[in-house]
């Protein structure tokens, strides 16, 4: 018997099986897990992608923000980006939630930082004394403790009413500053200021997590993912004080969205 045709036939069959198995395990099939998913992104600048390249429009949305990156990687049936830089909880309720479809399957959101005075607090700490910084942080902490929970509850309830069957992922905020060194470079914040702001950020995240869980939503904590990558650190995923454009200041850079926020949403979305 001539073994050559038999060997060639075996090779052909093996190659065909390999092709079939490779196709079955291709990324396209993995992405098909979300082929029937209608995804809506809500929230503030940390969701719109401020700090990353390619921002556009009044809401400063970027294709490098985590919602657009997740969409590109997972190819859901539809993607509606309602995020807007500067948004507070009442903006989400009045300007974002009403434009969601009731059939939405997946929602992501960051919200609460602007309600707590994120921008003015960081600016005050940048230009003021250590004591001034501590005072504005304390004011923010009072708001987070006394008023923010009700604002979050109202916002989460509005999302649930509008999209009763959606899987809602509430993402937190990173701790902004590295405190491993006393020095933060020329013009950088003192260690006292950085610690005060970080403490405020931790309280904000803990409050958001508690209210998200009370609403039956999934909380995606990004603090561990950003650990070691804060402002003043050797490999920051967060922009420091930025002059052009100033809105990028103290927001994630592209690495922060790609390696911090995107995996957090991916893990939480399932």
């Amino acid at each position: 018997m001539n073994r050559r045709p038999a060997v060639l036939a075996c090779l052909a069959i093996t190659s065909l099986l390999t092709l079939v198995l490779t196709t079955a395990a291709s990324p396209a099939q993995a992405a098909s897990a979300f082929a029937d998913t209608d995804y809506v992104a809500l929230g503030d600048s940390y969701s719109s992608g401020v700090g990353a390249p390619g921002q556009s429009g009044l809401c400063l949305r970027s294709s490098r923000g985590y919602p657009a990156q997740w969409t590109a990687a997972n190819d859901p049936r539809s993607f509606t980006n309602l995020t807007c830089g500067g948004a507070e909880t009442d903006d989400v309720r009045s300007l974002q939630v009403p434009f969601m479809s009731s059939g939405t399957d997946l929602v992501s959101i960051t919200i609460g930082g602007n309600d707590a005075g994120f921008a003015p607090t960081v600016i005050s700490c940048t230009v003021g004394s250590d004591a001034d910084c501590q005072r504005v942080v304390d004011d923010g902490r009072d708001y987070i403790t006394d008023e923010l929970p009700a604002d979050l509850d109202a916002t989460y309830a509005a999302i649930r009413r509008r999209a009763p069957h959606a899987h809602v992922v509430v993402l937190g905020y990173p701790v902004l500053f590295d405190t491993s060194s006393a020095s933060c470079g020329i013009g950088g914040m003192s260690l006292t200021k950085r610690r005060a702001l970080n403490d405020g950020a931790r309280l904000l995240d803990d409050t958001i997590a508690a209210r998200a869980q009370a609403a039956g939503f999934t909380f995606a904590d990004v603090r561990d993912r950003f650990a070691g990558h804060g402002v003043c650190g050797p490999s920051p995923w967060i922009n420091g004080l930025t002059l052009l454009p100033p809105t990028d200041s103290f927001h994630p850079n592209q690495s922060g969205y790609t390696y911090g926020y995107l995996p957090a949403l991916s893990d939480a979305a399932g």
Side-chain angles (χ1 to χ4, degrees):
M1 176 181 178
N2 190 338
R3 292 176 53 83
R4 181 177 176 80
V7 170
L8 291 175
C10 288
L11 288 173
I13 293 172
T14 301
S15 298
L16 180 61
L17 287 173
T18 300
L19 177 62
V20 170
L21 291 173
T22 301
T23 302
S26 68
Q29 186 189 31
S32 71
F34 297 98
D36 295 325
T37 296
D38 294 312
Y39 168 43
V40 176
L42 305 175
D44 55 23
S45 55
Y46 273 65
S47 289
S48 71
V50 171
Q55 300 166 51
S56 63
L58 294 176
C59 285
L60 302 177
R61 295 171 186 152
S62 171
S63 61
R64 309 294 178 84
Y66 74 83
Q69 289 197 55
W70 185 90
T71 298
N74 293 280
D75 194 24
R77 178 166 56 192
S78 69
F79 169 47
T80 304
N81 191 348
L82 298 172
T83 62
C84 198
E88 298 182 4
T89 52
D90 59 347
D91 296 314
V92 171
R93 296 194 299 272
S94 61
L95 300 174
Q96 297 184 17
V97 169
F99 295 94
M100 293 173 57
S101 166
S102 61
T104 298
D105 302 295
L106 175 65
V107 176
S108 67
I109 183 171
T110 57
I111 202 67
N114 291 318
D115 297 73
F118 165 74
T121 298
V122 176
I123 291 171
S124 295
C125 287
T126 300
V127 301
S129 66
D130 287 357
D132 292 335
C133 179
Q134 188 62 63
R135 277 194 295 271
V136 294
V137 170
D138 288 344
D139 289 343
R141 291 175 65 91
D142 289 342
Y143 175 84
I144 292 169
T145 301
D146 299 335
E147 299 183 48
L148 184 60
D151 292 334
L152 293 172
D153 288 348
T155 303
Y156 298 156
I159 294 170
R160 178 54 71 217
R161 286 193 301 270
R162 186 67 179 175
H165 305 297
H167 174 45
V168 181
V169 179
V170 178
L171 297 101
Y173 298 96
V175 173
L176 292 179
F177 295 95
D178 185 273
T179 57
S180 60
S181 173
S183 173
C184 192
I186 298 174
M189 289 195 197
S190 69
L191 186 58
T192 298
K193 292 178 181 179
R194 284 179 275 148
R195 285 174 172 167
L197 286 164
N198 285 353
D199 286 344
R202 293 186 186 98
L203 176 62
L204 176 62
D205 273 323
D206 290 344
T207 301
I208 292 171
R211 302 327 305 158
Q213 290 161 3
F217 295 167
T218 299
F219 179 71
D221 196 334
V222 299
R223 287 175 285 187
D224 285 347
R225 297 180 187 277
F226 277 83
H229 297 286
V231 179
C232 306
S235 178
W237 290 356
I238 302 171
N239 296 307
L241 183 63
T242 306
L243 298 180
L244 292 174
T247 49
D248 281 2
S249 299
F250 306 109
H251 284 80
N253 55 31
Q254 184 172 339
S255 292
Y257 288 115
T258 300
Y259 303 118
Y261 271 103
L262 177 59
L265 175 58
S266 296
D267 288 350

